[in-house]
Amino acid sequence: MRSRRHTASSPTSIIRTFQGSRGEEKFKEIADAYQTLKDPEKRAAYDQLGRHQPGQDFRPPPDWGRQFGDAQSSFDDVDLADLFAGLARGARHAGRQGGAFQMPGQDYEVTAHISLDEAARGTTVDLDLAVPGVRPARRPHRVQRSFKARIPKGATDGQRLRLRGKGGKGLGGAPDGDLYLNIALHPHALYRVSGHDLYLDLPLTPWEAALGAVVEVPTLGGSVRLKVPPGTHAGQKLRLARRGLPKPSAGEGDLFAIVQIVVPTVLSERERVLFKELSTARPSIRAVISNRR
């Protein structure tokens, strides 16, 4: 399973998830305090100078540059799992205080492998997902989540289904994330799938193709009789309407039988005589092509 992750490469990109100016100010305060307490030099500077309010004139002591340099705030060394754990606690506190801190839940994505028969009638799949979480020690890890998902009939290979609210939990009353299912059909022994249409190879003998015949064709709903017209050639598509996969709204796709001419490998004496008579009665294909040049 792979999840959609909201990237956070800078404070500005994360601040956008807060609502209102109070949320931005709160986030900046948390990030500033986190950086200060994590860095021993910045902690020492804080103990020496105290907190600097925006808009105030800041006059560092003469030896400030030698002790602490000209460092700038950065998110390169921030433990985001630790930081967001603190933000989550702040969100719960803000909720009790009537604040507006909100963060939508994370979206997840997983591939569901089903058979063609399951796609035709619909099915329920059991999903075991390993999703990101935070331990009490505020270290990121994977949390196992298990639930069932209903796949409606007519699902096609490559289709993407959305399960609302089955993703990560939202914070501060924000909506939960969604789970996206990517449908993948197992290969079938007879059928090839294209959207809601099905294709299969239909073997015919030379005399069935030449003279016409009525043959049985397997479908998802059982065998049906198909009339093969005289003069059918190899590769020809014979259509069986509404014998494909059901469509979500209404109707079904079609089933196409692709003609394959099968020549017998073992001939009886009578068959050998008949094929020789046929060869003398009609010119060969090569002769026909040669005469057209």
Side-chain angles (χ1 to χ4, degrees):
M1 193 218 70
R2 55 195 179 95
S3 61
R4 291 186 169 188
R5 304 188 180 187
H6 303 292
T7 59
S9 58
S10 67
T12 304
S13 62
I14 301 179
I15 288 174
R16 295 195 185 101
T17 62
F18 290 78
Q19 293 184 352
S21 59
R22 292 181 57 194
E24 294 185 10
E25 294 174 1
K26 184 65 177 176
F27 181 86
K28 291 176 181 178
E29 292 175 4
I30 292 174
D32 181 61
Y34 186 89
Q35 288 279 11
T36 300
L37 296 178
K38 187 175 181 180
D39 191 318
E41 292 185 355
K42 293 180 180 180
R43 176 60 182 269
Y46 183 92
D47 293 340
Q48 179 177 347
L49 297 176
R51 187 166 179 265
H52 169 62
Q53 295 290 339
Q56 294 181 349
D57 291 334
F58 176 66
R59 299 180 181 274
D63 60 345
W64 169 263
R66 291 192 300 270
Q67 292 186 28
F68 303 105
D70 191 21
Q72 296 181 353
S73 177
S74 170
F75 260 60
D76 293 340
D77 58 345
V78 173
D79 184 344
L80 290 180
D82 196 6
L83 177 57
F84 280 118
L87 292 178
R89 290 192 296 272
R92 291 191 292 270
H93 177 71
R96 293 190 296 269
Q97 303 268 334
F101 179 94
Q102 287 187 329
M103 182 179 292
Q106 190 177 18
D107 292 340
Y108 301 133
E109 190 165 351
V110 64
T111 300
H113 297 271
I114 61 175
S115 67
L116 183 60
D117 292 332
E118 290 173 330
R121 65 174 184 268
T123 187
T124 299
V125 296
D126 295 317
L127 298 174
D128 295 320
L129 308 180
V131 301
V134 179
R135 288 193 177 96
R138 294 176 291 182
R139 294 183 177 180
H141 74 299
R142 294 286 180 177
V143 178
Q144 289 295 130
R145 289 182 56 189
S146 300
F147 55 89
K148 296 182 180 293
R150 177 67 183 172
I151 298 178
K153 66 178 182 179
T156 58
D157 191 62
Q159 185 176 356
R160 198 164 183 255
L161 302 178
R162 179 184 182 186
L163 303 180
R164 294 181 181 272
K166 295 297 185 180
K169 295 295 182 182
L171 299 178
D176 294 341
D178 300 326
L179 174 65
Y180 292 90
L181 292 183
N182 293 321
I183 304 300
L185 297 183
H186 293 299
H188 196 275
L190 290 178
Y191 305 107
R192 299 181 295 278
V193 184
S194 177
H196 293 89
D197 294 332
L198 301 178
Y199 295 80
L200 62 77
D201 293 330
L202 178 64
L204 295 177
T205 61
W207 48 91
E208 287 175 328
L211 303 177
V214 176
V215 297
E216 286 194 351
V217 176
T219 73
L220 294 177
S223 296
V224 298
R225 296 174 68 83
L226 172 66
K227 184 177 181 180
V228 178
T232 297
H233 58 82
Q236 186 172 338
K237 294 181 181 179
L238 303 180
R239 175 172 172 261
L240 289 85
R242 304 184 64 181
R243 291 291 180 175
L245 286 174
K247 297 180 179 179
S249 54
E252 298 84 14
D254 298 328
L255 171 63
F256 294 92
I258 311 301
V259 173
Q260 306 291 329
I261 305 299
V262 179
V263 178
T265 57
V266 179
L267 297 176
S268 66
E269 188 60 32
R270 175 60 177 165
E271 291 171 336
R272 189 179 301 276
V273 171
L274 292 175
F275 270 111
K276 286 184 177 181
E277 291 179 359
L278 180 61
S279 66
T280 58
R282 293 181 62 89
S284 67
I285 298 294
R286 292 187 299 276
V288 173
I289 296 176
S290 178
N291 292 333
R292 290 179 178 177
R293 292 180 178 177

